[in-house]
Amino acid sequence: GRLREKCQADYAKVKDAPKWELQYHKIREIMTRKDTLYIAHSCRSDIGFIMMMNRRRGTDQFYCRVYDTLDMFKTAMPGMEKYNLPFLAESLGIEHDAHVSLSDAIVCFKVLCKVAERNGKTLKEMFSEHEDCMSDSVDVLRDFIRSDRRRQLAVIKESDYNPIRGPLTGLRFCMDERTEKSDPEAVLEFARYVVSNGGSYVSGVSSSNVFVWDGNK
């Protein structure tokens, strides 16, 4: 359900895709080659998806670094109306079957070549100038996990009624936003403990009767 909701492609294009377990070793071999430059458009979502699949399916994580052409193009072609791949391909006269993996990969490279040409640079010069546009798979996984924890915490905050009765019934806890952002894993664990013992975890000091802070204020 969540996958269909997030997936922008026509479902018919992906419904017959092979299972993750059958493709994992191919993906790992491709993504961990030495002396290879990896590029992708808006690559944090791509890397994050792969890393989260490893996490959820119990396959080994692997390390890779990828140049994000989205960030590169924003710097190299300022003032564009949009920077999504279909729009860039159309603007540059490149044929594109959007949200099909092979087409996306080929078009991403073709757009990069066009952008480099427009800027009078070689691909090597483009990579050298835009090293700050590189994403690290370990960092991306950490950010994805934290984002997911914040989403789960938001769901708990939105719950108006807790049917569980326990030692914390009647108590409404909250923490300062800085703590929630800096350590969402720990805050989520704390919120779950509160709810499982009859209490509530809420947003804002005014809605709470127990305020937890990290001691630095």
mmCIF file of all heavy atoms in Angstrom, residues 129-156:
data_model
loop_
_atom_site.group_PDB
_atom_site.id
_atom_site.type_symbol
_atom_site.label_atom_id
_atom_site.label_comp_id
_atom_site.label_asym_id
_atom_site.label_seq_id
_atom_site.Cartn_x
_atom_site.Cartn_y
_atom_site.Cartn_z
ATOM 1 N N GLU A 129 34.276 19.760 -10.031
ATOM 2 C CA GLU A 129 33.677 20.991 -9.513
ATOM 3 C C GLU A 129 32.520 20.740 -8.563
ATOM 4 O O GLU A 129 32.168 21.611 -7.771
ATOM 5 C CB GLU A 129 33.183 21.866 -10.672
ATOM 6 C CG GLU A 129 34.297 22.562 -11.430
ATOM 7 C CD GLU A 129 33.760 23.576 -12.408
ATOM 8 O OE1 GLU A 129 32.563 23.924 -12.314
ATOM 9 O OE2 GLU A 129 34.530 24.012 -13.277
ATOM 10 N N HIS A 130 31.922 19.562 -8.657
ATOM 11 C CA HIS A 130 30.689 19.317 -7.886
ATOM 12 C C HIS A 130 30.846 18.143 -6.912
ATOM 13 O O HIS A 130 29.909 17.361 -6.724
ATOM 14 C CB HIS A 130 29.521 19.058 -8.836
ATOM 15 C CG HIS A 130 29.192 20.233 -9.714
ATOM 16 N ND1 HIS A 130 28.478 21.323 -9.267
ATOM 17 C CD2 HIS A 130 29.524 20.510 -11.006
ATOM 18 C CE1 HIS A 130 28.346 22.205 -10.254
ATOM 19 N NE2 HIS A 130 28.984 21.729 -11.314
ATOM 20 N N GLU A 131 31.996 18.054 -6.284
ATOM 21 C CA GLU A 131 32.209 16.987 -5.303
ATOM 22 C C GLU A 131 31.274 17.124 -4.101
ATOM 23 O O GLU A 131 30.987 16.146 -3.409
ATOM 24 C CB GLU A 131 33.661 16.971 -4.840
ATOM 25 C CG GLU A 131 34.627 16.411 -5.889
ATOM 26 C CD GLU A 131 36.014 16.211 -5.342
ATOM 27 O OE1 GLU A 131 36.283 16.709 -4.229
ATOM 28 O OE2 GLU A 131 36.826 15.559 -6.027
ATOM 29 N N ASP A 132 30.790 18.339 -3.848
ATOM 30 C CA ASP A 132 29.862 18.549 -2.739
ATOM 31 C C ASP A 132 28.480 17.983 -3.052
ATOM 32 O O ASP A 132 27.611 17.932 -2.167
ATOM 33 C CB ASP A 132 29.745 20.035 -2.410
ATOM 34 C CG ASP A 132 29.270 20.865 -3.607
ATOM 35 O OD1 ASP A 132 29.598 20.497 -4.747
ATOM 36 O OD2 ASP A 132 28.576 21.873 -3.377
ATOM 37 N N CYS A 133 28.252 17.560 -4.298
ATOM 38 C CA CYS A 133 26.957 16.986 -4.689
ATOM 39 C C CYS A 133 26.960 15.464 -4.553
ATOM 40 O O CYS A 133 26.224 14.775 -5.251
ATOM 41 C CB CYS A 133 26.619 17.364 -6.120
ATOM 42 S SG CYS A 133 26.380 19.137 -6.379
ATOM 43 N N MET A 134 27.794 14.945 -3.684
ATOM 44 C CA MET A 134 27.913 13.501 -3.529
ATOM 45 C C MET A 134 27.189 13.038 -2.268
ATOM 46 O O MET A 134 27.297 13.674 -1.217
ATOM 47 C CB MET A 134 29.397 13.105 -3.463
ATOM 48 C CG MET A 134 29.635 11.620 -3.593
ATOM 49 S SD MET A 134 31.405 11.239 -3.587
ATOM 50 C CE MET A 134 31.870 11.706 -5.240
ATOM 51 N N SER A 135 26.457 11.955 -2.372
ATOM 52 C CA SER A 135 25.747 11.383 -1.234
ATOM 53 C C SER A 135 26.418 10.084 -0.803
ATOM 54 O O SER A 135 26.868 9.300 -1.633
ATOM 55 C CB SER A 135 24.277 11.119 -1.584
ATOM 56 O OG SER A 135 23.585 12.330 -1.727
ATOM 57 N N ASP A 136 26.439 9.875 0.496
ATOM 58 C CA ASP A 136 27.068 8.715 1.119
ATOM 59 C C ASP A 136 25.969 7.764 1.593
ATOM 60 O O ASP A 136 25.046 8.179 2.290
ATOM 61 C CB ASP A 136 27.913 9.209 2.298
ATOM 62 C CG ASP A 136 28.659 8.114 3.004
ATOM 63 O OD1 ASP A 136 28.007 7.163 3.480
ATOM 64 O OD2 ASP A 136 29.889 8.212 3.109
ATOM 65 N N SER A 137 26.040 6.497 1.196
ATOM 66 C CA SER A 137 24.957 5.553 1.495
ATOM 67 C C SER A 137 24.708 5.396 2.992
ATOM 68 O O SER A 137 23.559 5.245 3.430
ATOM 69 C CB SER A 137 25.250 4.187 0.869
ATOM 70 O OG SER A 137 26.455 3.636 1.379
ATOM 71 N N VAL A 138 25.763 5.444 3.800
ATOM 72 C CA VAL A 138 25.599 5.300 5.253
ATOM 73 C C VAL A 138 24.846 6.498 5.823
ATOM 74 O O VAL A 138 23.934 6.351 6.652
ATOM 75 C CB VAL A 138 26.971 5.140 5.936
ATOM 76 C CG1 VAL A 138 26.820 5.128 7.449
ATOM 77 C CG2 VAL A 138 27.655 3.865 5.468
ATOM 78 N N ASP A 139 25.215 7.707 5.374
ATOM 79 C CA ASP A 139 24.525 8.910 5.840
ATOM 80 C C ASP A 139 23.069 8.912 5.394
ATOM 81 O O ASP A 139 22.172 9.311 6.146
ATOM 82 C CB ASP A 139 25.222 10.164 5.304
ATOM 83 C CG ASP A 139 26.584 10.389 5.929
ATOM 84 O OD1 ASP A 139 26.825 9.843 7.030
ATOM 85 O OD2 ASP A 139 27.408 11.100 5.323
ATOM 86 N N VAL A 140 22.842 8.474 4.157
ATOM 87 C CA VAL A 140 21.474 8.444 3.636
ATOM 88 C C VAL A 140 20.608 7.481 4.446
ATOM 89 O O VAL A 140 19.461 7.792 4.788
ATOM 90 C CB VAL A 140 21.464 8.040 2.150
ATOM 91 C CG1 VAL A 140 20.041 7.776 1.666
ATOM 92 C CG2 VAL A 140 22.105 9.135 1.304
ATOM 93 N N LEU A 141 21.150 6.307 4.779
ATOM 94 C CA LEU A 141 20.396 5.342 5.579
ATOM 95 C C LEU A 141 20.035 5.931 6.932
ATOM 96 O O LEU A 141 18.891 5.813 7.388
ATOM 97 C CB LEU A 141 21.209 4.060 5.767
ATOM 98 C CG LEU A 141 20.565 2.999 6.671
ATOM 99 C CD1 LEU A 141 19.240 2.525 6.085
ATOM 100 C CD2 LEU A 141 21.511 1.817 6.867
ATOM 101 N N ARG A 142 21.009 6.588 7.567
ATOM 102 C CA ARG A 142 20.740 7.208 8.862
ATOM 103 C C ARG A 142 19.628 8.246 8.759
ATOM 104 O O ARG A 142 18.711 8.283 9.580
ATOM 105 C CB ARG A 142 22.010 7.874 9.392
ATOM 106 C CG ARG A 142 21.855 8.489 10.790
ATOM 107 C CD ARG A 142 22.940 9.507 11.072
ATOM 108 N NE ARG A 142 22.844 10.624 10.156
ATOM 109 C CZ ARG A 142 23.877 11.168 9.528
ATOM 110 N NH1 ARG A 142 25.084 10.675 9.695
ATOM 111 N NH2 ARG A 142 23.704 12.204 8.719
ATOM 112 N N ASP A 143 19.678 9.078 7.712
ATOM 113 C CA ASP A 143 18.652 10.107 7.528
ATOM 114 C C ASP A 143 17.293 9.492 7.254
ATOM 115 O O ASP A 143 16.265 9.985 7.737
ATOM 116 C CB ASP A 143 19.043 11.043 6.374
ATOM 117 C CG ASP A 143 20.262 11.885 6.695
ATOM 118 O OD1 ASP A 143 20.629 11.968 7.876
ATOM 119 O OD2 ASP A 143 20.857 12.453 5.744
ATOM 120 N N PHE A 144 17.262 8.400 6.467
ATOM 121 C CA PHE A 144 16.000 7.724 6.169
ATOM 122 C C PHE A 144 15.378 7.156 7.441
ATOM 123 O O PHE A 144 14.178 7.272 7.671
ATOM 124 C CB PHE A 144 16.239 6.603 5.155
ATOM 125 C CG PHE A 144 15.782 6.951 3.769
ATOM 126 C CD1 PHE A 144 16.433 7.940 3.046
ATOM 127 C CD2 PHE A 144 14.706 6.314 3.194
ATOM 128 C CE1 PHE A 144 16.016 8.267 1.767
ATOM 129 C CE2 PHE A 144 14.286 6.639 1.915
ATOM 130 C CZ PHE A 144 14.946 7.619 1.196
ATOM 131 N N ILE A 145 16.215 6.537 8.276
ATOM 132 C CA ILE A 145 15.715 5.945 9.518
ATOM 133 C C ILE A 145 15.166 7.033 10.430
ATOM 134 O O ILE A 145 14.078 6.898 11.006
ATOM 135 C CB ILE A 145 16.826 5.149 10.226
ATOM 136 C CG1 ILE A 145 17.183 3.904 9.414
ATOM 137 C CG2 ILE A 145 16.398 4.745 11.631
ATOM 138 C CD1 ILE A 145 18.391 3.155 9.932
ATOM 139 N N ARG A 146 15.908 8.128 10.536
ATOM 140 C CA ARG A 146 15.450 9.219 11.394
ATOM 141 C C ARG A 146 14.158 9.832 10.877
ATOM 142 O O ARG A 146 13.267 10.163 11.657
ATOM 143 C CB ARG A 146 16.540 10.288 11.500
ATOM 144 C CG ARG A 146 17.727 9.840 12.348
ATOM 145 C CD ARG A 146 18.675 10.968 12.634
ATOM 146 N NE ARG A 146 19.561 10.637 13.731
ATOM 147 C CZ ARG A 146 20.351 11.505 14.328
ATOM 148 N NH1 ARG A 146 20.366 12.758 13.922
ATOM 149 N NH2 ARG A 146 21.118 11.144 15.343
ATOM 150 N N SER A 147 14.057 9.976 9.561
ATOM 151 C CA SER A 147 12.833 10.505 8.975
ATOM 152 C C SER A 147 11.648 9.585 9.261
ATOM 153 O O SER A 147 10.545 10.045 9.577
ATOM 154 C CB SER A 147 13.025 10.679 7.467
ATOM 155 O OG SER A 147 11.832 11.117 6.856
ATOM 156 N N ASP A 148 11.880 8.278 9.169
ATOM 157 C CA ASP A 148 10.831 7.307 9.454
ATOM 158 C C ASP A 148 10.421 7.363 10.923
ATOM 159 O O ASP A 148 9.238 7.266 11.252
ATOM 160 C CB ASP A 148 11.312 5.899 9.096
ATOM 161 C CG ASP A 148 10.231 4.860 9.298
ATOM 162 O OD1 ASP A 148 9.195 4.944 8.604
ATOM 163 O OD2 ASP A 148 10.403 3.962 10.146
ATOM 164 N N ARG A 149 11.409 7.531 11.822
ATOM 165 C CA ARG A 149 11.103 7.623 13.256
ATOM 166 C C ARG A 149 10.277 8.876 13.556
ATOM 167 O O ARG A 149 9.351 8.840 14.370
ATOM 168 C CB ARG A 149 12.394 7.639 14.079
ATOM 169 C CG ARG A 149 13.247 6.391 13.953
ATOM 170 C CD ARG A 149 12.511 5.155 14.437
ATOM 171 N NE ARG A 149 13.321 3.961 14.320
ATOM 172 C CZ ARG A 149 13.342 3.149 13.278
ATOM 173 N NH1 ARG A 149 12.562 3.405 12.229
ATOM 174 N NH2 ARG A 149 14.110 2.080 13.253
ATOM 175 N N ARG A 150 10.612 9.976 12.898
ATOM 176 C CA ARG A 150 9.844 11.212 13.102
ATOM 177 C C ARG A 150 8.412 11.041 12.604
ATOM 178 O O ARG A 150 7.468 11.558 13.213
ATOM 179 C CB ARG A 150 10.524 12.382 12.386
ATOM 180 C CG ARG A 150 11.880 12.764 12.969
ATOM 181 C CD ARG A 150 12.419 14.043 12.350
ATOM 182 N NE ARG A 150 13.784 14.286 12.809
ATOM 183 C CZ ARG A 150 14.871 14.078 12.080
ATOM 184 N NH1 ARG A 150 14.748 13.629 10.831
ATOM 185 N NH2 ARG A 150 16.072 14.331 12.560
ATOM 186 N N ARG A 151 8.252 10.312 11.503
ATOM 187 C CA ARG A 151 6.906 10.058 10.978
ATOM 188 C C ARG A 151 6.091 9.232 11.973
ATOM 189 O O ARG A 151 4.924 9.533 12.243
ATOM 190 C CB ARG A 151 7.001 9.323 9.637
ATOM 191 C CG ARG A 151 5.654 9.012 8.993
ATOM 192 C CD ARG A 151 5.826 8.117 7.775
ATOM 193 N NE ARG A 151 6.428 6.847 8.119
ATOM 194 C CZ ARG A 151 5.755 5.826 8.669
ATOM 195 N NH1 ARG A 151 4.461 5.958 8.958
ATOM 196 N NH2 ARG A 151 6.368 4.696 8.928
ATOM 197 N N GLN A 152 6.709 8.190 12.552
ATOM 198 C CA GLN A 152 6.016 7.356 13.531
ATOM 199 C C GLN A 152 5.677 8.155 14.790
ATOM 200 O O GLN A 152 4.616 7.960 15.387
ATOM 201 C CB GLN A 152 6.886 6.150 13.892
ATOM 202 C CG GLN A 152 7.083 5.162 12.756
ATOM 203 C CD GLN A 152 7.882 3.948 13.178
ATOM 204 O OE1 GLN A 152 7.587 3.316 14.189
ATOM 205 N NE2 GLN A 152 8.913 3.611 12.409
ATOM 206 N N LEU A 153 6.582 9.053 15.185
ATOM 207 C CA LEU A 153 6.330 9.888 16.354
ATOM 208 C C LEU A 153 5.152 10.825 16.107
ATOM 209 O O LEU A 153 4.320 11.041 16.995
ATOM 210 C CB LEU A 153 7.586 10.694 16.692
ATOM 211 C CG LEU A 153 7.554 11.494 18.002
ATOM 212 C CD1 LEU A 153 7.446 10.552 19.198
ATOM 213 C CD2 LEU A 153 8.810 12.356 18.124
ATOM 214 N N ALA A 154 5.060 11.361 14.882
ATOM 215 C CA ALA A 154 3.951 12.247 14.529
ATOM 216 C C ALA A 154 2.617 11.522 14.630
ATOM 217 O O ALA A 154 1.612 12.100 15.067
ATOM 218 C CB ALA A 154 4.154 12.802 13.118
ATOM 219 N N VAL A 155 2.593 10.238 14.251
ATOM 220 C CA VAL A 155 1.366 9.441 14.350
ATOM 221 C C VAL A 155 0.946 9.298 15.809
ATOM 222 O O VAL A 155 -0.237 9.414 16.153
ATOM 223 C CB VAL A 155 1.576 8.045 13.713
ATOM 224 C CG1 VAL A 155 0.381 7.140 13.996
ATOM 225 C CG2 VAL A 155 1.792 8.175 12.209
ATOM 226 N N ILE A 156 1.914 9.050 16.684
ATOM 227 C CA ILE A 156 1.611 8.931 18.118
ATOM 228 C C ILE A 156 1.055 10.242 18.660
ATOM 229 O O ILE A 156 0.087 10.258 19.434
ATOM 230 C CB ILE A 156 2.870 8.512 18.903
ATOM 231 C CG1 ILE A 156 3.262 7.073 18.547
ATOM 232 C CG2 ILE A 156 2.657 8.650 20.412
ATOM 233 C CD1 ILE A 156 4.547 6.600 19.199
#
